[in-house]
Amino acid sequence: MTTAAAPALREQTVSIVANDRDTDQYYRLEVRAPEIAPLVQPGQFAHVRILPLKEALLRRPFSIFQVTTDTFSILYKNVGRGTDVLSRMRSGEELSVIAPLGHGFTVPAPGAEVPLLVAGGYGMAAMYLLAQRSPQKGIVFVGGRRRVDILCEKEFAALGWEVRATTEDGSHGEKGLVTHPLIAELKRGAAGKKLFACGPTPMLKAVAKLAADFNLPAELSMDEHMCCGTGVCLTCVIPIKTADGWEYQRTCTEGPVFDREQILWEVPQ
Amino acid sequence: MTTAAAPALREQTVSIVANDRDTDQYYRLEVRAPEIAPLVQPGQFAHVRILPLKEALLRRPFSIFQVTTDTFSILYKNVGRGTDVLSRMRSGEELSVIAPLGHGFTVPAPGAEVPLLVAGGYGMAAMYLLAQRSPQKGIVFVGGRRRVDILCEKEFAALGWEVRATTEDGSHGEKGLVTHPLIAELKRGAAGKKLFACGPTPMLKAVAKLAADFNLPAELSMDEHMCCGTGVCLTCVIPIKTADGWEYQRTCTEGPVFDREQILWEVPQ
Amino acid sequence: MNLAVQIGTMRMPNPVTVASGTFGYGVEYSRLIDLNQLGAVTVKGIRLNPVRGNPTPRTAEVASGMLNAIGLQGPGVDGFIKKYWPFLRELKVPTIINIWGTTVEEYAEVARRFDALGGVGALELNVSCPNIKEGGAQFGTDVKLLAQVVAACRKATSLPLITKMSPNVPNIAPFARAAEESGSDALAVTNSFPAMAIDIRTRRPKLANITGGLTGPAIKPIAVKLVWEAAKAVKIPIIGMGGIQTAADAIEFMMAGAAAVAVGTANFYEPQTPLYVVAGIREYMEQQKFTEVGQITGSIKFS
Amino acid sequence: MNLAVQIGTMRMPNPVTVASGTFGYGVEYSRLIDLNQLGAVTVKGIRLNPVRGNPTPRTAEVASGMLNAIGLQGPGVDGFIKKYWPFLRELKVPTIINIWGTTVEEYAEVARRFDALGGVGALELNVSCPNIKEGGAQFGTDVKLLAQVVAACRKATSLPLITKMSPNVPNIAPFARAAEESGSDALAVTNSFPAMAIDIRTRRPKLANITGGLTGPAIKPIAVKLVWEAAKAVKIPIIGMGGIQTAADAIEFMMAGAAAVAVGTANFYEPQTPLYVVAGIREYMEQQKFTEVGQITGSIKFS
Ligand SMILES: Cc1cc2nc3c(=O)[nH]c(=O)nc-3n(C[C@H](O)[C@H](O)[C@H](O)COP(=O)(O)OP(=O)(O)OC[C@H]3O[C@@H](n4cnc5c(N)ncnc54)[C@H](O)[C@@H]3O)c2cc1C
Ligand SMILES: Cc1cc2nc3c(=O)[nH]c(=O)nc-3n(C[C@H](O)[C@H](O)[C@H](O)COP(=O)(O)OP(=O)(O)OC[C@H]3O[C@@H](n4cnc5c(N)ncnc54)[C@H](O)[C@@H]3O)c2cc1C
Ligand SMILES: Cc1cc2nc3c(=O)[nH]c(=O)nc-3n(C[C@H](O)[C@H](O)[C@H](O)COP(=O)(O)O)c2cc1C
Ligand SMILES: Cc1cc2nc3c(=O)[nH]c(=O)nc-3n(C[C@H](O)[C@H](O)[C@H](O)COP(=O)(O)O)c2cc1C
Ligand code: FES
Ligand code: FES
């Protein structure tokens, strides 16, 4: 935990510009937030209070997907009580957001390693700004269970990135796990590459292992339950290596993005 | 408390046909309920679960105002959390209702006493069906604080009833309390009259006293907080005289309408 | 698929009953739901003589729950037998009679009366009503008194005894064991939590009784923990209750160790709740391919 | 209009602080609210040495509240002084440091250390953390141990002592009196309630610690009653907490007898809450033409 003056953030009541279904259970929500949009770094998130939720009090965290000069948007999946209520909200209705939050991805410097992005499901949401702001283009490996879980392929292509999709049921792209084409790519030549990943924990773990095997740098965005989202409550911690062992650090503050070397995947007994 | 086979009632999810502002803070809500509408007796109420209310769980009781063959309506005032949420619901949205509930007014038999109705504020809602179904017409004394508290005067007039309005600020009708014109009327001749009242407790108490002074029969609809609305929880009780003293009886079941002789206005120590 | 639950000699066709005081004497809700679909009907608390109850207001709404201080209004043993028993006796499902007293002797006497009545499913000893000075609460928070009450009732009747525990103790285990050792056939966990609310406009308590019992979804996490701890302490079955609104809630209580459950406050806003819960439990058992409802009980996993 | 509240030698410019563990060490929320508008900043519980805390998941959402079992993760006295004190020391408002230990001696030692530090507003003795075996909970449910802890800390420091009461006792009065008689300058009422939740899909507890503390609006009616009973038992001021979301909630606690209040869980979903509460109390005092905030304390009426 650090007391170093943390980056700027805002709490604001914002109104919904658009909230439309993307594919299947996925929705895109855009809100007007001129003060927040310019502050957003790739991999940061917004902590959203879904005001119509009454007996469920906590905010829900969502990666910031895209920004314009005066709006930002999220790409979310309807998985439970909060996202279900959110999916039924109309433009003009209001939400309370605290954003931008968390330590995001390192945007590759010009001439730095070639970025390979690895995303599962809504993990794609955390990747768009990184792809958009990275001076050199790379490859996006995107995986999902079914065709509908492969999100915004076109938008990444439009940014000039190569997209390699995999689905577990083979309904779209290559059949299998997202790590298969990644391994193939790395075997073709791993030097000078860097991995950036966001998705389910098992996928992150697999990517971390690959990075270690090929001895590549990797930045992983961890998905932990959150409460305050602002570093106060110590809900969202994961075990992180330190000089003298390990300690629990906060995914909402020191994370959600960590270097693969930092992460202890099992809590030592 | 009685176990005698109680009158028919239904619990149903009903959809809103209309929900429009009447005056100021008063609204008229009509719901589709073909099985319920035919069962309604004057002075009975509906116990309404306002489904969007989440952390507030209990149903809210409202007198049944008017009925058609396949709908019934209530006339409600926005006074708190539930009625506020209710006032923002749109036609097509759903409510859960248990109705009709309670022991209502005795509809005067042909040739029986001349009915004098006394209503305060939303108390008018409980009176409409009585006025509509009574074979002989009488006078409705309606009181409120300001002009906006005098509800559906025209509708009562349209039923062929004489309406005498009073407002405490004199902004409409006679200035003063609803009991003033009533006293005047009774002084002119009380014989053969019967009082029916619904409104704030102080008003009901005053009407009961007048009825006693002029030695007239009176039926009063009591307004107590309710929980189950169906005779189960014993929340809504008031002290009622019995052969051997008094007992707490349920306004939701033995009431809301009681004969003035039954009611003990103070709980004996 | 067998949903039946055995509480001493009482057989409940399914594990879902209703919480005492939230279902009157059965007859009231019989207009809205088929009582014979329940596991048992549990009636409002009864003592020897009629009880007038507390002044009003008796309930208040709070976040995800309510407060009540009814004061155990009731017709007394004779009044109950005269007014309500003829109806209840005819039901296909057992009746659980919730009883209380102000002395150990009174508990025993009431138990004796209902034993003599014949046809009663079980007696639930309310040793934990927080709402009247002599409402038995002290029996529920004093291990010795609790043991005395249960033992005296055990002597007075051969009917199954369900001891309704007070939630208001630092550790429920010794109380659970005392009830078991004194001859209780089952435990009911939990009663309402002493609480209060103030109307800041009038500065007056929202209940005439000043304090009352908190019930509803607000207390569910505390109640689930009490059931879990009681289940670890005793072998007798536990009837879990506290904020149950859905089958998922009921299954949570059963996983924590409850053999049966009771729906309380939810009846007031959704009288169909107990039947929804029965249907949901059946559905869950089908998904899980369970043949016995007991397979849910205590099925919580820790690794 | 005077909103100031005196807790021993500590002067709070207004009666609204934050609940320990729901506001970190102040610095985190300083990006969102002006800490100098609070009555005091109360920091997360600290013991002598660093504490790693419990495995995850550490919190779970429940109806009108949440469960937590953080396990008092913290930097220890030295870590706190090094990392956070330089920031807190500069604030215009006092800092309340919440401390705990596993032995009476450790409580006293931590008290001594902060006494030596200088500039601390007050020490809050957490004798009621339900979330770790040696989290002091036993001190809070055993009158003798409670008295020992408070007395030992009283000897160790001249700083104002606030004893944070356990809610988990049948009757809070003797505990409140024990704290007062042992030299506590104030009471904090109340800590969270032992509870649990189970994910029925995985059959596993929602918290890695199995049980955790229930907090939020769900517990408010129980907390208000505990404050009311504690206030009747002692003369020292009470800091009321438990589900406060609005100024109306805070005023309810004050009417029940609290001299000050703390906002806890609400900070997590609405970090501005403490400032809204201060504004709302000021507004209420204007309406009522009160000159002293103390006029609200204990103003509940019964007739
Ligand atoms: C840093 C971060 C970024 C995220 N970005 C996205 C995104 O871009 N798109 C997207 O669809 N989802 C994202 N999630 C997951 C999202 O927060 C959950 O899907 C959401 O909170 C579910 O809320 P609910 O009420 O619908 O589900 P419920 O199951 O009803 O929620 C119950 C509680 O569990 C928490 N919870 C449930 N699932 C998760 C989860 N997977 N992660 C964290 N908390 C959870 C909720 O916040 C709530 O407190 C992100 C999570 C984190 C931590
Ligand atoms: C038999 C009967 C008939 C009624 N008929 C009408 C009617 O025709 N039109 C109308 O506008 N109102 C009527 N009322 C009053 C109506 O029930 C309340 O105004 C309503 O419950 C307020 O709910 P709320 O959530 O807006 O207020 P809140 O104050 O937020 O409610 C909090 C709690 O108090 C209860 N409550 C608050 N005020 C009253 C009250 N006056 N009577 C009973 N319970 C109350 C609520 O039901 C709820 O449980 C009637 C009440 C009764 C008992
Ligand atoms: C209005 C009301 C009356 C109650 N009366 C009794 C009673 O007479 N005897 C008893 O043992 N419990 C009584 N209880 C407690 C319930 O039986 C049950 O233990 C408690 O409500 C918790 O369950 P719930 O949260 O589902 O309501 C009463 C509860 C309520 C709300
Ligand atoms: C996440 C969390 C952490 C807490 N940590 C502490 C703590 O370290 N020390 C303590 O005395 N109380 C702690 N508490 C209890 C709060 O200080 C407070 O007593 C309780 O949350 C009730 O207030 P509330 O309902 O407004 O949250 C914690 C509560 C929460 C929710
Ligand atoms: S969610 Fe509260 S510290 Fe991360
Ligand atoms: S409201 Fe429950 S008995 Fe009348």
Side-chain angles (χ1 to χ4, degrees):
Chain A
M1 286 168 284
T2 165
T3 62
L9 62 87
R10 300 255 183 293
E11 177 184 4
Q12 283 178 351
T13 302
V14 297
S15 70
I16 298 175
V17 176
N19 185 27
D20 306 315
R21 181 183 235 113
D22 187 88
T23 71
D24 191 45
Q25 289 302 300
Y26 296 90
Y27 295 77
R28 291 170 181 236
L29 173 82
E30 183 176 21
V31 298
R32 239 196 128 271
E35 288 97 338
I36 292 170
L39 303 173
V40 179
Q41 299 301 318
Q44 288 189 298
F45 66 95
H47 211 29
V48 180
R49 186 167 181 204
I50 301 160
L51 299 170
L53 270 186
K54 285 271 175 276
E55 87 292 14
L57 298 167
L58 301 180
R59 290 170 181 265
R60 274 52 174 156
F62 299 96
S63 302
I64 295 176
F65 171 44
Q66 296 173 329
V67 300
T68 69
T69 50
D70 59 357
T71 71
F72 73 82
S73 60
I74 65 172
L75 179 59
Y76 65 97
K77 184 176 186 182
N78 181 341
V79 299
R81 212 193 302 94
T83 46
D84 188 53
V85 169
L86 186 60
S87 70
R88 282 190 261 92
M89 290 182 77
R90 306 180 184 75
S91 62
E93 291 189 86
E94 292 186 326
L95 296 166
S96 168
V97 301
I98 300 178
L101 288 165
H103 162 85
F105 291 111
T106 315
V107 179
E113 304 95 339
V114 177
L116 302 183
L117 279 41
V118 191
Y122 60 70
M124 275 298 254
M127 293 296 185
Y128 185 84
L129 285 179
L130 178 61
Q132 185 178 40
R133 297 185 186 181
S134 172
Q136 61 258 48
K137 321 232 168 292
I139 308 171
V140 190
F141 297 86
V142 52
R145 194 165 297 106
R146 304 162 305 138
R147 159 182 280 286
V148 290
D149 299 311
I150 306 302
L151 306 170
C152 48
E153 234 179 319
K154 288 198 189 49
E155 277 138 306
F156 279 81
L159 292 174
W161 285 62
E162 177 181 349
V163 182
R164 302 212 188 136
T166 50
T167 53
E168 292 172 33
D169 68 357
S171 56
H172 181 68
E174 182 182 329
K175 186 175 198 299
L177 295 173
V178 67
T179 41
H180 293 176
L182 175 61
I183 293 169
E185 177 63 25
L186 294 177
K187 288 203 173 131
R188 246 178 263 116
K193 307 251 168 76
K194 179 174 179 180
L195 304 179
F196 299 84
C198 184
T201 305
M203 185 203 94
L204 296 175
K205 214 166 157 176
V207 170
K209 184 169 180 322
L210 276 178
D213 297 347
F214 287 90
N215 167 29
L216 295 176
E219 294 187 10
L220 312 172
S221 179
M222 308 295 286
D223 181 344
E224 286 294 322
H225 279 230
M226 291 184 178
C227 174
C228 72
T230 53
V232 167
C233 72
L234 307 177
T235 289
C236 61
V237 299
I238 60 171
I240 293 294
K241 294 176 199 154
T242 58
D244 53 356
W246 67 278
E247 67 180 15
Y248 280 117
Q249 288 189 11
R250 303 162 296 181
T251 47
C252 69
T253 304
E254 285 78 40
V257 176
F258 293 91
D259 290 331
R260 68 149 170 99
E261 294 87 351
Q262 297 177 272
I263 300 168
L264 265 178
W265 293 97
E266 298 300 330
V267 178
Q269 291 319 319
Chain B
M1 285 168 284
T2 166
T3 63
L9 61 87
R10 301 256 183 292
E11 177 185 5
Q12 283 178 350
T13 301
V14 298
S15 69
I16 298 174
V17 176
N19 185 27
D20 306 315
R21 181 182 235 114
D22 187 88
T23 71
D24 191 45
Q25 287 302 300
Y26 296 90
Y27 295 77
R28 292 170 180 234
L29 172 83
E30 183 177 20
V31 299
R32 243 196 124 271
E35 289 98 337
I36 292 170
L39 304 173
V40 179
Q41 299 301 318
Q44 288 189 298
F45 67 95
H47 211 28
V48 180
R49 186 166 181 205
I50 301 159
L51 299 171
L53 269 187
K54 284 274 174 271
E55 87 291 15
L57 298 166
L58 301 180
R59 289 169 181 265
R60 274 54 175 156
F62 299 95
S63 302
I64 295 175
F65 172 43
Q66 295 173 329
V67 300
T68 69
T69 51
D70 59 358
T71 72
F72 73 82
S73 60
I74 65 171
L75 179 59
Y76 67 96
K77 184 177 186 181
N78 181 341
V79 298
R81 212 194 302 93
T83 47
D84 187 53
V85 168
L86 185 60
S87 70
R88 283 191 260 92
M89 290 182 77
R90 307 180 184 75
S91 62
E93 291 188 85
E94 291 186 325
L95 296 166
S96 167
V97 301
I98 301 178
L101 289 165
H103 162 84
F105 292 112
T106 316
V107 178
E113 304 95 339
V114 177
L116 301 182
L117 313 190
V118 191
Y122 60 71
M124 277 297 255
M127 294 295 185
Y128 186 84
L129 285 178
L130 178 61
Q132 187 178 40
R133 297 185 186 182
S134 171
Q136 62 259 46
K137 321 235 166 288
I139 308 170
V140 190
F141 297 88
V142 52
R145 194 165 297 108
R146 304 162 302 137
R147 164 184 276 293
V148 290
D149 299 311
I150 305 302
L151 307 169
C152 48
E153 234 179 320
K154 288 198 189 49
E155 276 138 307
F156 279 81
L159 292 174
W161 285 61
E162 178 183 347
V163 182
R164 300 210 192 138
T166 49
T167 53
E168 291 172 35
D169 68 358
S171 55
H172 181 69
E174 184 183 327
K175 185 174 198 299
L177 295 173
V178 67
T179 41
H180 292 174
L182 175 60
I183 293 169
E185 177 64 25
L186 293 179
K187 287 202 172 135
R188 244 178 266 118
K193 308 253 168 73
K194 180 173 179 180
L195 304 179
F196 298 84
C198 185
T201 305
M203 184 203 96
L204 296 176
K205 213 164 157 178
V207 170
K209 184 170 181 319
L210 276 178
D213 296 347
F214 288 90
N215 174 24
L216 296 176
E219 294 187 10
L220 312 172
S221 179
M222 307 296 285
D223 181 345
E224 287 294 321
H225 279 229
M226 292 183 176
C227 174
C228 72
T230 53
V232 166
C233 72
L234 307 177
T235 288
C236 61
V237 298
I238 60 171
I240 293 293
K241 294 175 200 156
T242 59
D244 52 358
W246 67 278
E247 67 181 15
Y248 280 116
Q249 288 188 12
R250 302 162 296 180
T251 47
C252 70
T253 304
E254 285 78 41
V257 175
F258 293 91
D259 290 330
R260 65 146 172 105
E261 295 86 351
Q262 298 177 271
I263 299 167
L264 264 179
W265 293 97
E266 299 299 331
V267 178
Q269 291 319 319
Chain C
M1 206 165 59
N2 177 18
L3 270 75
V5 173
Q6 198 70 32
I7 304 285
T9 58
M10 175 178 70
R11 184 179 176 283
M12 294 169 60
N14 67 59
V16 183
T17 184
V18 289
S20 175
T22 68
F23 212 75
Y25 303 93
V27 63
E28 301 86 350
Y29 275 142
S30 64
R31 297 180 291 163
L32 289 170
I33 85 171
D34 176 1
L35 304 187
N36 287 320
Q37 303 300 314
L38 297 171
V41 171
T42 306
V43 300
K44 172 77 182 162
I46 296 165
R47 71 176 287 189
L48 199 52
N49 301 319
V51 180
R52 202 167 247 158
N54 290 334
T56 60
R58 288 175 167 186
T59 62
E61 189 176 52
V62 295
S64 293
M66 64 179 283
L67 304 182
N68 90 85
I70 304 302
L72 291 164
Q73 177 174 340
V77 173
D78 293 328
F80 168 81
I81 292 172
K82 186 161 158 302
K83 289 192 195 143
Y84 301 110
W85 187 241
F87 172 87
L88 290 163
R89 190 180 44 210
E90 298 306 319
L91 294 177
K92 291 199 207 69
V93 298
T95 295
I96 299 171
I97 300 181
N98 181 276
I99 69 171
W100 65 282
T102 60
T103 63
V104 172
E105 298 62 40
E106 185 177 2
Y107 275 97
E109 176 57 18
V110 176
R112 216 171 284 115
R113 295 289 306 279
F114 283 117
D115 186 86
L117 180 61
V120 172
L123 297 181
E124 182 175 66
L125 310 180
N126 177 9
V127 291
S128 47
C129 179
N131 299 333
I132 63 177
K133 252 175 271 50
E134 63 290 351
Q138 81 280 19
F139 295 104
T141 54
D142 176 326
V143 177
K144 283 195 204 58
L145 280 176
L146 177 70
Q148 284 175 29
V149 170
V150 177
C153 292
R154 180 71 295 162
K155 272 212 209 64
T157 178
S158 60
L159 290 170
L161 293 180
I162 302 162
T163 306
K164 184 139 180 198
M165 311 302 286
S166 169
N168 211 25
V169 294
N171 175 7
I172 199 172
F175 293 85
R177 276 190 292 267
E180 180 178 46
E181 288 157 6
S182 307
S184 194
D185 299 284
L187 305 179
V189 181
T190 177
N191 210 316
S192 58
F193 290 73
M196 91 190 257
I198 302 169
D199 180 332
I200 69 165
R201 282 169 297 106
T202 64
R203 295 191 204 171
R204 286 180 171 71
K206 287 190 177 179
L207 300 178
N209 189 58
I210 305 176
T211 63
L214 175 64
T215 64
I219 67 170
K220 194 186 80 173
I222 313 182
V224 169
K225 180 193 178 250
L226 289 169
V227 166
W228 180 64
E229 289 185 330
K232 287 187 299 179
V234 298
K235 291 187 190 47
I236 51 176
I238 292 169
I239 303 175
M241 65 192 81
I244 294 175
Q245 295 192 103
T246 64
D249 296 333
I251 291 164
E252 187 176 0
F253 272 90
M254 295 172 81
M255 286 181 171
V261 295
V263 174
T265 300
N267 293 312
F268 297 147
Y269 51 93
E270 183 41 77
Q272 308 293 333
T273 304
L275 302 191
Y276 294 153
V277 171
V278 174
I281 290 173
R282 190 173 277 116
E283 207 174 283
Y284 176 78
M285 287 176 67
E286 277 159 8
Q287 288 164 9
Q288 303 291 318
K289 312 227 178 327
F290 285 171
T291 54
E292 296 289 326
V293 73
Q295 292 173 271
I296 307 175
T297 298
S299 62
I300 183 172
K301 293 191 284 186
F302 296 108
S303 57
Chain D
M1 204 164 61
N2 177 18
L3 270 75
V5 174
Q6 198 70 31
I7 304 286
T9 57
M10 175 179 70
R11 183 179 174 285
M12 294 169 61
N14 69 59
V16 183
T17 185
V18 289
S20 176
T22 69
F23 211 76
Y25 303 93
V27 64
E28 301 86 350
Y29 275 142
S30 64
R31 297 180 291 163
L32 288 171
I33 85 170
D34 176 1
L35 304 187
N36 287 320
Q37 303 300 315
L38 296 171
V41 172
T42 305
V43 300
K44 171 77 181 164
I46 296 165
R47 71 175 287 188
L48 199 52
N49 301 319
V51 179
R52 201 169 248 159
N54 290 333
T56 59
R58 288 176 167 186
T59 63
E61 190 177 53
V62 296
S64 293
M66 63 179 282
L67 303 182
N68 91 83
I70 304 302
L72 291 163
Q73 176 173 341
V77 172
D78 294 328
F80 169 81
I81 292 173
K82 187 162 158 300
K83 288 193 197 143
Y84 302 109
W85 187 241
F87 171 87
L88 290 163
R89 190 180 44 208
E90 298 306 318
L91 294 178
K92 290 198 208 68
V93 298
T95 296
I96 299 171
I97 301 181
N98 181 277
I99 69 172
W100 66 283
T102 59
T103 62
V104 172
E105 296 62 39
E106 184 178 2
Y107 274 97
E109 175 57 18
V110 175
R112 216 170 285 115
R113 295 289 307 278
F114 283 117
D115 186 87
L117 179 61
V120 171
L123 297 181
E124 182 174 67
L125 310 179
N126 178 8
V127 291
S128 46
C129 181
N131 298 334
I132 63 176
K133 253 177 270 49
E134 64 291 351
Q138 81 280 20
F139 293 104
T141 54
D142 177 324
V143 178
K144 282 194 205 57
L145 280 175
L146 177 69
Q148 285 175 28
V149 170
V150 177
C153 292
R154 179 71 295 165
K155 272 212 209 63
T157 178
S158 60
L159 291 171
L161 292 179
I162 302 162
T163 306
K164 184 138 179 197
M165 311 301 286
S166 168
N168 212 23
V169 294
N171 175 8
I172 197 172
F175 293 86
R177 276 190 293 269
E180 180 178 44
E181 289 157 7
S182 307
S184 194
D185 299 283
L187 305 178
V189 181
T190 177
N191 211 316
S192 59
F193 291 73
M196 92 190 257
I198 302 168
D199 180 334
I200 70 166
R201 282 169 298 107
T202 64
R203 294 191 205 171
R204 287 178 171 72
K206 287 190 176 180
L207 300 178
N209 189 57
I210 303 177
T211 63
L214 175 63
T215 64
I219 67 170
K220 193 186 81 175
I222 313 181
V224 169
K225 175 184 179 265
L226 289 169
V227 165
W228 179 63
E229 289 184 331
K232 286 187 299 178
V234 298
K235 290 187 189 46
I236 51 177
I238 292 170
I239 303 175
M241 66 192 80
I244 294 175
Q245 294 191 104
T246 64
D249 296 333
I251 291 164
E252 187 177 359
F253 272 91
M254 293 172 81
M255 286 180 172
V261 295
V263 174
T265 300
N267 294 312
F268 297 148
Y269 50 93
E270 183 39 77
Q272 308 295 331
T273 304
L275 303 191
Y276 294 152
V277 171
V278 174
I281 290 172
R282 189 171 277 118
E283 207 174 283
Y284 176 79
M285 286 176 67
E286 277 159 9
Q287 287 163 10
Q288 303 291 318
K289 311 226 176 332
F290 285 170
T291 54
E292 296 289 326
V293 72
Q295 291 173 273
I296 307 174
T297 298
S299 62
I300 182 172
K301 293 190 284 184
F302 297 108
S303 57

